[in-house]
Amino acid sequence: MTIVRYPIRIMLLVLTYAMVFLPTHVSPVAALSAEEILDDPALEARARAISQQLRCLVCQNQSIDDSDAPLAKDLRSLVREQLQNSKSDTEILDFLQNQYGAYILLEPPISSSTWVLWLAPVMIALFGSGMILASRHLKSAPPDTVLPISTPRTSFRPRIVFLMCFVVLGSALGVHQFIGRPDLPPRPLGRRAEEIKILKDTAQAQQRALRRSFVEARAATRLSPKDPAAWYHLSRTAAALGDSETEINTLKQAIALDPDALALKSLLAEAYSRVADEQITLPARALIDEVLSIDSTEPRALFLRGLAAFQDGDYTGAVQTWMQLFKYSAPDAPWMPMVRENILRAAAAGDFAPPFLPDPAPIAKMTDVEQ
Amino acid sequence: MTPEIGHFALVAALLFSLTQVIAPLWGLYRQQPTLLALTAPAQIAACIAVLVAFISLIWAFITSDFSFDLVVQYSHSQKPLIYKIAGTWGNHEGSLLLWVLILVSFGTLFCLTAHRLDTALFGLILAVQGMISSAFLAFSLLTSNPFRRLETPPIEGLGLNPVLQDIGLALHPPTLYLGYVGLSIAFAFAVAGLIQGRIDQRWARALRPWVTAAWSALTAGITLGSWWAYYELGWGGWWFWDPVENVSLMPWLIAPALLQSVRVVEVRGQFKSWTVLLAIMGFSLSLLGTFIVRSGLLTSVHSFAADPTRGIFILAILLLAVGLPLVLYAWRGPRLVTVGDFSFNSREMALIVNNGILVIATAIVLLGTFYPLGLEMFNGARITVGPPYFDATFNPIMAVGLLGMGIAGTLAWGHGGLPHAKKTLLGALLMGLVCIFVGLGFGISIAALAGLGVLGWLASGIVIDIALRVKPWQKAAGARLMRLGLPIWGMWLAHFGTAVFLAGVLGENLLQTEAIVRAQPAQEVNLGDDTVVFKGIRQTQGPNYQSLSAELQLYDAEGQEIALLYPERRFYPAENQTTTEAAIHTTWLGDYYAVLGDGDPQRGYTLRLYHKPVVAWIWGGAGLMVLGGLVSLVSRHRIPKA
Amino acid sequence: MRFIFLLPLLIFGLLAGITGFALFSTLSGTRQVEQLPSVLVERPAPDTRQPNLTEGAPEVDLSHYRGQIVLVNFFASWCVPCRAEIPMLQSLAKDLTVIGIAYKDKVQDTKAFLTRFGNPYHVVGVDLDGRTGITWGVYGIPETYLIDAQGNVLFRHAGVVDKVLIENTLRPLWETAG
């Protein structure tokens, strides 16, 4: 979404229900705040009147007077400033129409594309009045023949009704087998206490274990601050805890101690992206390029380069990069399933046929059977 | 109970609805009484099935069964029970199911009450109803299935938008749907009448209560929505000319026109073709509203993430459900025309004028709502048609319509007015002019002057009409009062409600005072003649939100305490959203409306305070309209046996 | 007389046509509701002189770039989609002069943003109060303007610049202009 929306009116919301765009930092009231109000009541009254004529562009169908969007606030202050510079109402409206087009005016100005809009009500009213006056002089057309659809009496037979219900319910059961999920039991929250407790306990235990190993790893770096492996280890525990800043800092330490470790640089590039909502940023790209210029088969860097191409909308490039990774890696490398999935996804996004991917899994199975 | 039963019931409902279509059509075509007799049982069975589906969906929400995708998306275990239940229809899928439930319930009610209609008409009406419910049940099952399951249920839901966690959500949608869907019965009557080629007085008499009920429900639904917006949004607006509001306004304008013209068919056997057209239009506009809202085509504050398949599906339903009847109308409508037999000052003429005005007003709303979209498709230009356009076009037309309303009761069927028509007219004119002259003294805008004039005319017209009919200054006034009958009281109530509504609108526009200030605790703020003392601010914990509320003490000009107000700002952690809750003190003469804005202890807090005289009359007037509708509903005439 | 009875069908047909057309063009992506047409297109770009993001560096003055094809990009650190287009802007910087305007953003936030996500801009001007944005008709960032050598606005895009936009729209535009 490029535009932050400020839908805050709820009238007849019924019909719509999901105002999912409501941004969290906006309260529906911040509209006109006390500081904006001009001291001169006459000028302020004009400012309010003008504001009610202007559409808040980022909201849907609100005037800037009602809106709490930042742009509406800017426009309000612009209107007040211009008023204080003794601009006339029309001058201000014209100025804004000049910047934003007629869209900003809640009352459409008469122009080549709106004269129909303004003329039509008059025409509708005239036409309607004509019809009203004509209604007294209506001539009747020859009456239509009534369709031969009259049945003397319905005959209600309970047995037939039961049969109908039976057939319908039977077929419904059949259809439900296909589209429903009769296999899934109901899972009301009240009966899931145990399951939720186990889930939470496991998560807590995991978290505790992670935190413990983090503390241990940090102690290790204090003991041997010149050992890149210790820093690397600390960075991994930080990553597992979701502490990306520490991960980045420790990785930088490790790289400083071992400048040739390409895997560390790839990890750093990955960490850079993680703090940027998985986006492969320019600094990350620079690292990836550096790594790949030395070792063009470094798997993590290759994967990230593919991802960068994917994010740029270059799906062919993404598939090519990932195919290289696919070729260079051992068939049982842990990242292989992910690479496969990504190649398929990129091909689908780019709307072309995916390249042939030899499937490692069945081969492994076959050898199992043979053995 | 497993909600999966609901899924099964939804499938069964679709099949029952299809039976409800096929049985009467095939039965009439083949002259099979047994088959025809299946229609009503199929309708009732479909209703039971949808009810089961709906209840099991509510059950899934109540028990927070997160194996249902819909419950995960729109519910949360910490939500108060009432909002868990209301949350069932606080989303597209659930609200669609509610829509269908109301549709089949209306059908069933029709089955149970309309046994005096001739069997062919009865069967055809239910067949049309069945087509609509089949289409929407298929829509629900194929593109918006509320019973989608998850293999591994999460342990918590995403919660419901806090703005929707309000009693408004529990009341507003069901009422509005009652209105929308109630019009489907009129639609079915019209289509069945066109197929049968016979529209008569019995047809009209059977139809009229449905239209009255639908119109009352629509009024109540729109009013509830407006009131909800008024107290929830925090600046006291109540109508915004938003596309989604406009599409609900259009059927509301058509319904009273339909009501009047059905009455003419019933009493005079005229206006048949026009009545059929209005009946088709009313429901078509409801469907159009559904389409616009659920496809997200028009930018609206109410729009939600649009799903393409949904839009196409509803467009297809719309084309069939509206296109075919209109083709049928173009073909057979001319045959229904009767020779006009009434004079210029008859009640028929007044009703035609009123009908015409309502339809013109609807056409203008339709034009204003769709023009930007049409223009964008035509040449790519983007414009906004906002409130000023509707104020300039819709309001004058409606003002003329209201003038007609003031004297509607004084005209007689056929030829000539009632004896007191002239007196009423003169009295109303006089009062209207007086109001305008009084208004002139205050130097208000021309639109407001016109509004005042109309108000004076309308209110005094009704009062004089009642007075001249009852003649309370003569003997036996009580007997005359009793003889008048409920229908005319229903009409007066509805018309008087309109006058009250208009007074509320004018008062809100002309008399409002406001103060927007940044205040520290213990500070005093002037609001017109009244004084507001900002006592302090405090934090509280709600069931699923944290709240910051200000304590405001309100004094009138004499220093008498009027009320304590606690405007709030709430933070909902589950949804990570903030809402404001306006504090409103309502009296007969006006509302005090306070909103707590941004702020902190250092800078102080923004307080937005309004005194809105007679604003509650807007909803009170609408309430009187609903009451008028209900009164005339109670007095419905029995359909004579064939 | 019969024509009157066809009128409702005709009006409905028109309405259904408009909404159907709108629906299908929305689905096919040719209609984008968020894209407001800019009145600036085919008009001279507004005079723009902004303080430079780098303290002490000379003001960013658009008129200095007459004779070059310039891409003006309004962005901010608080704008999430703005991050996504930075690699794309970087690739554009090979062919065009890409000028960034930091819209309603604190200077240190902008700097941190550019360090984290990379700096694709030739130069960055600062528009603290959003006034420059208003003179350009900016309503939601990111917004990108393509300006020809004579200083006229060729094209405005509201939203993320992506590969499809570059190849299908921007490249043909600047190649014919330059």
Side-chain angles (χ1 to χ4, degrees):
Chain A
M1 264 324 294
T2 57
I3 297 154
V4 187
R5 290 162 185 250
Y6 296 89
I8 55 163
R9 289 196 235 134
I10 49 152
M11 163 90 184
L12 299 180
L13 195 83
V14 191
L15 297 164
T16 96
Y17 292 123
M19 299 205 315
V20 286
F21 298 125
L22 197 83
T24 55
H25 59 279
V26 172
S27 67
V29 73
L32 185 61
S33 75
E35 284 73 21
E36 292 176 46
I37 297 197
L38 297 176
D39 295 333
D40 178 354
L43 223 48
E44 174 63 23
R46 275 175 64 202
R48 297 295 293 276
I50 295 175
S51 300
Q52 278 158 13
Q53 297 272 314
L54 293 170
R55 176 184 186 140
C56 162
L57 294 137
V58 285
C59 339
Q60 308 299 339
N61 303 332
Q62 277 179 304
S63 76
I64 61 168
D65 196 46
D66 298 335
S67 172
D68 53 337
L71 180 61
K73 193 179 168 113
D74 293 345
L75 289 172
R76 281 197 301 264
S77 74
L78 183 98
V79 166
R80 286 181 168 75
E81 217 167 87
Q82 300 238 21
L83 278 173
Q84 284 173 322
N85 295 339
S86 48
K87 291 269 173 61
S88 77
D89 294 9
T90 31
E91 274 173 335
I92 297 172
L93 291 176
D94 285 350
F95 170 75
L96 283 168
Q97 190 189 346
N98 206 22
Q99 308 304 322
Y100 285 97
Y103 189 72
I104 200 171
L105 300 177
L106 283 169
E107 177 171 339
I110 295 171
S111 70
S112 59
S113 47
T114 59
W115 62 268
V116 177
L117 177 70
W118 284 105
L119 196 61
V122 182
M123 301 307 289
I124 293 172
L126 286 177
F127 178 78
S129 316
M131 290 298 297
I132 291 169
L133 291 178
S135 66
R136 277 179 49 217
H137 309 290
L138 287 178
K139 289 281 177 295
S140 164
D144 207 1
T145 43
V146 174
L147 283 189
I149 42 170
S150 43
T151 325
R153 265 265 160 266
T154 54
S155 74
F156 181 81
R157 290 207 207 135
R159 216 181 303 165
I160 305 278
V161 173
F162 279 124
L163 184 69
M164 184 264 299
C165 289
F166 186 72
V167 171
V168 165
L169 290 176
S171 340
L173 203 60
V175 175
H176 181 249
Q177 293 298 316
F178 279 103
I179 65 167
R181 293 303 299 269
D183 53 316
L184 292 182
R187 306 290 296 277
L189 200 62
R191 276 194 256 146
R192 293 171 62 201
E194 206 160 312
E195 173 204 345
I196 290 168
K197 191 175 173 327
I198 292 171
L199 270 175
K200 280 186 178 156
D201 287 352
T202 335
Q204 266 177 8
Q206 255 174 2
Q207 198 70 14
R208 265 200 303 274
L210 276 173
R211 225 168 275 143
R212 209 166 29 240
S213 52
F214 178 76
V215 173
E216 284 163 9
R218 199 170 47 192
T221 58
R222 294 219 177 101
L223 280 176
S224 46
K226 294 285 170 208
D227 178 11
W231 287 106
Y232 165 78
H233 191 63
L234 181 57
S235 82
R236 291 304 84 206
T237 54
L241 277 170
D243 181 357
S244 300
E245 294 299 330
T246 313
E247 185 196 357
I248 289 174
N249 292 335
T250 48
L251 275 175
K252 280 181 177 165
Q253 288 279 356
I255 291 170
L257 294 167
D258 183 7
D260 298 330
L262 295 179
L264 288 179
K265 287 184 179 163
S266 305
L267 273 174
L268 182 59
E270 191 182 275
Y272 277 161
S273 318
R274 199 171 306 127
V275 294
D277 302 328
E278 306 299 328
Q279 196 196 325
I280 315 291
T281 60
L282 292 182
R285 280 164 203 241
L287 272 173
I288 294 165
D289 290 349
E290 188 192 327
V291 170
L292 289 177
S293 67
I294 301 168
D295 175 6
S296 62
T297 63
E298 209 287 321
R300 195 179 298 273
L302 262 181
F303 182 78
L304 292 175
R305 177 178 275 180
L307 204 56
F310 185 89
Q311 286 176 358
D312 292 352
D314 177 10
Y315 303 115
T316 347
V319 169
Q320 278 167 4
T321 318
W322 281 328
M323 277 309 286
Q324 277 183 25
L325 177 58
F326 202 82
K327 249 183 273 166
Y328 294 140
S329 311
D332 57 349
W335 55 81
M336 284 306 261
M338 195 164 66
V339 175
R340 287 172 60 79
E341 195 186 302
N342 271 306
I343 290 173
L344 296 179
R345 194 145 49 103
D351 217 9
F352 52 80
F356 173 70
L357 300 171
D359 200 341
I363 298 168
K365 252 190 197 155
M366 259 164 70
T367 46
D368 271 9
V369 174
E370 278 163 6
Q371 280 165 0
Chain B
M1 185 178 84
T2 160
E4 195 66 35
I5 291 175
H7 199 173
F8 158 73
L10 199 59
V11 177
L14 173 60
L15 296 180
F16 277 123
S17 287
L18 288 172
T19 315
Q20 181 194 338
V21 177
I22 295 161
L25 293 184
W26 194 249
L28 285 169
Y29 179 65
R30 289 257 136 167
Q31 293 289 301
Q32 288 262 9
T34 331
L35 210 50
L36 194 58
L38 281 180
T39 319
Q43 167 73 83
I44 294 167
C47 180
I48 294 169
V50 179
L51 190 65
V52 169
F54 193 66
I55 289 175
S56 52
L57 189 63
I58 292 183
W59 185 251
F61 271 84
I62 290 178
T63 57
S64 294
D65 188 338
F66 294 126
S67 67
F68 284 80
D69 194 18
L70 201 66
V71 182
V72 178
Q73 299 295 326
Y74 297 102
S75 198
H76 190 279
S77 60
Q78 296 305 309
K79 216 162 57 164
L81 182 65
I82 171 83
Y83 303 138
K84 278 185 186 162
I85 297 173
T88 312
W89 56 84
N91 55 75
H92 165 70
E93 288 84 352
S95 67
L96 192 67
L97 195 58
L98 176 66
W99 201 96
V100 177
L101 175 66
I102 293 176
L103 182 73
V104 289
S105 307
F106 265 107
T108 304
L109 198 62
F110 171 77
C111 281
L112 299 177
T113 54
H115 39 80
R116 282 156 191 263
L117 278 185
D118 83 68
T119 43
L121 183 60
F122 181 81
L124 283 172
I125 287 173
L126 281 180
V128 176
Q129 282 278 314
M131 288 181 206
I132 303 168
S133 54
S134 308
F136 277 92
L137 283 167
F139 178 43
S140 173
L141 278 170
L142 294 176
T143 70
S144 326
N145 196 329
F147 294 101
R148 233 179 6 255
R149 296 293 295 274
L150 298 173
E151 302 244 355
T152 43
I155 55 172
E156 194 49 275
L158 299 174
L160 181 69
N161 185 331
V163 177
L164 296 178
Q165 294 188 30
D166 189 278
I167 194 69
L169 178 64
L171 299 176
H172 169 47
T175 332
L176 192 65
Y177 286 2
L178 274 179
Y180 275 167
V181 175
L183 288 173
S184 76
I185 298 273
F187 174 82
F189 263 85
V191 176
L194 277 176
I195 294 174
Q196 220 187 6
R198 192 174 66 201
I199 304 287
D200 54 18
Q201 293 173 314
R202 279 167 18 82
W203 177 91
R205 196 164 291 182
L207 170 58
R208 197 157 62 92
W210 295 101
V211 184
T212 314
W215 179 77
S216 304
L218 257 182
T219 312
I222 296 174
T223 310
L224 280 169
S226 164
W227 174 64
W228 182 12
Y230 168 76
Y231 73 71
E232 179 73 34
L233 290 182
W235 71 88
W238 54 275
W239 189 264
F240 309 100
W241 293 107
D242 181 89
V244 167
E245 297 165 12
N246 293 349
V247 292
S248 78
L249 181 65
M250 289 189 274
W252 183 79
L253 290 167
I254 291 296
L258 176 60
L259 199 56
Q260 293 166 346
S261 81
V262 169
R263 181 94 178 113
V264 182
V265 177
E266 187 184 341
V267 179
R268 304 283 294 175
Q270 291 174 342
F271 295 9
K272 289 177 183 172
S273 151
W274 177 242
T275 306
V276 166
L277 179 61
L278 283 177
I280 295 174
M281 269 165 59
F283 186 62
S284 303
L285 288 169
S286 299
L287 281 182
L288 188 70
T290 311
F291 169 62
I292 287 307
V293 170
R294 296 186 193 258
S295 67
L297 259 192
L298 294 180
T299 47
S300 156
V301 288
H302 312 290
S303 69
F304 62 125
D307 178 346
T309 36
R310 281 179 201 159
I312 292 176
F313 210 114
I314 310 186
L315 183 65
I317 295 180
L318 195 68
L319 284 176
L320 290 176
V322 182
L324 289 182
L326 285 179
V327 170
L328 198 63
Y329 177 76
W331 172 36
R332 308 194 73 137
R335 312 271 173 160
L336 295 171
V337 172
T338 43
V339 183
D341 175 29
F342 47 87
S343 71
F344 205 75
N345 59 346
S346 62
R347 185 182 284 192
E348 284 97 321
M349 194 62 206
L351 291 185
I352 285 187
V353 171
N354 226 323
N355 259 257
I357 285 170
L358 287 167
V359 173
I360 291 169
T362 310
I364 289 174
V365 176
L366 190 71
L367 177 79
T369 309
F370 284 91
Y371 192 86
L373 189 68
L375 184 68
E376 192 193 331
M377 291 299 110
F378 180 65
N379 67 1
R382 297 281 291 269
I383 59 160
T384 301
V385 177
Y389 174 81
F390 294 102
D391 289 344
T393 54
F394 177 85
N395 291 2
I397 288 284
M398 283 314 277
V400 176
L402 293 179
L403 289 182
M405 209 185 231
I407 51 165
T410 66
L411 294 167
W413 295 112
H415 302 273
L418 291 181
H420 66 264
K422 258 187 196 153
K423 282 183 200 163
T424 317
L425 203 63
L426 279 176
L429 190 64
L430 193 69
M431 280 307 291
L433 289 175
V434 167
C435 284
I436 291 178
F437 275 117
V438 171
L440 271 178
F442 291 93
I444 54 179
S445 72
I446 294 178
L449 278 180
L452 273 182
V454 171
L455 176 61
W457 166 289
L458 179 59
S460 57
I462 298 165
V463 172
I464 296 171
D465 186 25
I466 297 177
L468 291 178
R469 276 168 189 263
V470 180
K471 300 198 182 76
W473 53 87
Q474 289 181 9
K475 267 183 203 158
R480 267 192 302 278
L481 195 71
M482 300 314 290
R483 263 210 311 280
L484 280 173
L486 285 176
I488 199 159
W489 276 110
M491 181 193 77
W492 276 333
L493 268 175
H495 289 185
F496 195 69
T498 316
V500 173
F501 168 83
L502 183 62
V505 173
L506 286 169
E508 202 251 4
N509 272 311
L510 295 175
L511 306 174
Q512 169 175 306
T513 43
E514 66 169 38
I516 302 173
V517 292
R518 190 171 289 282
Q520 292 284 0
Q523 195 171 324
E524 283 189 13
V525 181
N526 289 326
L527 176 63
D529 295 333
D530 310 312
T531 312
V532 177
V533 181
F534 181 17
K535 306 278 280 190
I537 206 124
R538 63 175 176 190
Q539 260 173 325
T540 46
Q541 180 71 39
N544 57 340
Y545 57 85
Q546 294 135 26
S547 152
L548 188 73
S549 69
E551 186 178 354
L552 303 175
Q553 208 163 15
L554 196 64
Y555 296 98
D556 65 9
E558 280 84 50
Q560 294 284 323
E561 183 179 326
I562 306 172
L564 275 172
L565 294 173
Y566 298 97
E568 268 182 81
R569 274 149 57 80
R570 288 182 188 167
F571 176 68
Y572 289 77
E575 294 83 5
N576 191 21
Q577 285 177 8
T578 310
T579 65
T580 56
E581 305 292 318
I584 305 173
H585 176 69
T586 301
T587 67
W588 279 106
L589 287 176
D591 283 10
Y592 292 92
Y593 188 108
V595 181
L596 175 63
D598 64 311
D600 51 57
Q602 283 76 45
R603 288 185 306 145
Y605 296 84
T606 295
L607 296 177
R608 301 157 63 82
L609 309 165
Y610 303 88
H611 181 216
K612 293 169 172 292
V614 300
V615 70
W617 292 24
I618 292 175
W619 300 285
L624 284 177
M625 292 184 213
V626 176
L627 195 64
L630 293 180
V631 164
S632 51
L633 197 60
V634 173
S635 70
R636 64 170 291 208
H637 304 272
R638 297 232 163 266
I639 308 161
K641 281 206 168 150
Chain C
M1 188 59 213
R2 289 197 78 106
F3 140 81
I4 292 291
F5 290 85
L6 269 173
L7 197 61
L9 187 63
L10 293 178
I11 295 174
F12 172 70
L14 183 69
L15 207 60
I18 290 173
T19 50
F21 185 44
L23 187 66
F24 281 102
S25 48
T26 310
L27 293 187
S28 67
T30 47
R31 173 178 187 249
Q32 287 164 321
V33 185
E34 304 85 16
Q35 290 286 344
L36 293 178
S38 169
V39 282
L40 280 188
V41 171
E42 285 166 16
R43 285 198 340 211
D47 287 330
T48 303
R49 295 154 64 95
Q50 300 301 132
N52 199 311
L53 182 72
T54 321
E55 282 91 354
E59 240 181 9
V60 178
D61 185 349
L62 197 62
S63 60
H64 287 169
Y65 298 90
R66 268 311 129 72
Q68 316 175 13
I69 297 184
V70 177
L71 198 77
V72 174
N73 176 260
F74 285 83
F75 73 101
S77 64
W78 45 263
C79 151
V80 179
C82 293
R83 304 170 182 180
E85 63 178 4
I86 284 188
M88 287 292 118
L89 294 175
Q90 173 86 335
S91 76
L92 280 169
K94 291 186 205 110
D95 299 303
L96 311 166
T97 312
V98 181
I99 297 180
I101 306 280
Y103 176 76
K104 300 189 70 177
D105 198 13
K106 289 192 197 103
V107 169
Q108 73 258 33
D109 290 354
T110 314
K111 284 183 175 163
F113 173 80
L114 293 177
T115 324
R116 169 160 288 184
F117 293 93
N119 185 350
Y121 302 108
H122 175 72
V123 66
V124 176
V126 176
D127 177 22
L128 269 184
D129 58 1
R131 273 307 151 77
T132 310
I134 290 179
T135 57
W136 283 73
V138 167
Y139 60 92
I141 59 168
E143 279 192 31
T144 305
Y145 295 76
L146 187 65
I147 293 156
D148 68 7
Q150 288 75 46
N152 293 318
V153 176
L154 286 176
F155 179 74
R156 186 268 291 267
H157 177 73
V160 174
V161 173
D162 59 17
K163 200 160 190 83
V164 178
L165 183 84
I166 294 176
E167 295 309 325
N168 294 354
T169 316
L170 289 177
R171 188 178 296 280
L173 270 174
W174 88 65
E175 276 175 358
T176 47

